[in-house]
Amino acid sequence: KIVVSGLDHMMMFVASQHPQTKQVLIHQTTYFVKLKKDPNNPTSKTPVPLLTPCGPDMTMAIRRSQFAAPDLWKASLKKPQGLKKKKVKNHTTNVFG
């Protein structure tokens, strides 16, 4: 169930394939939603959404469709030593610092 009165923006994603290159594309568009009364049925309580294009529209291409080798995948997830925080032990503060 959707609470229609809470809708103000809508993002639409469409997946397609490029005709020549057969590359998978994802199109993303953003709309502003305005709720109006239904002109065809004025007694209806359900509002009709009016979509107005807003914001950036993007087309994304998927270039990688397979995972890396397990050893390369493990090396890519490894964090450098400098990023790990050291534990602070026996550190207390009072009103004087």
Side-chain angles (χ1 to χ4, degrees):
K1 218 171 183 183
I2 297 175
V3 178
V4 182
S5 62
L7 288 176
D8 61 348
H9 282 80
M10 184 182 85
M11 294 177 74
M12 182 175 70
F13 293 90
V14 177
S16 65
Q17 197 171 31
H18 195 276
Q20 283 89 20
T21 62
K22 302 295 183 196
Q23 188 176 25
V24 177
L25 301 173
I26 299 173
H27 306 282
Q28 181 255 323
T29 53
T30 308
Y31 295 100
F32 178 73
V33 179
K34 191 167 190 172
L35 301 173
K36 299 270 188 172
K37 286 189 176 182
D38 191 358
N40 299 330
N41 188 3
T43 59
S44 174
K45 291 188 177 186
T46 307
V48 175
L50 178 70
L51 301 178
T52 307
C54 72
D57 295 342
M58 292 185 262
T59 300
M60 299 167 270
I62 297 177
R63 299 184 314 192
R64 182 174 297 246
S65 60
Q66 62 184 11
F67 290 109
D71 56 337
L72 184 62
W73 180 264
K74 187 175 180 180
S76 69
L77 295 177
K78 194 172 184 178
K79 293 183 182 178
Q81 285 292 101
L83 292 179
K84 293 182 181 177
K85 292 185 179 180
K86 292 184 178 181
K87 289 185 178 179
V88 179
K89 293 184 175 182
N90 299 328
H91 181 71
T92 59
T93 58
N94 57 19
V95 291
F96 300 113

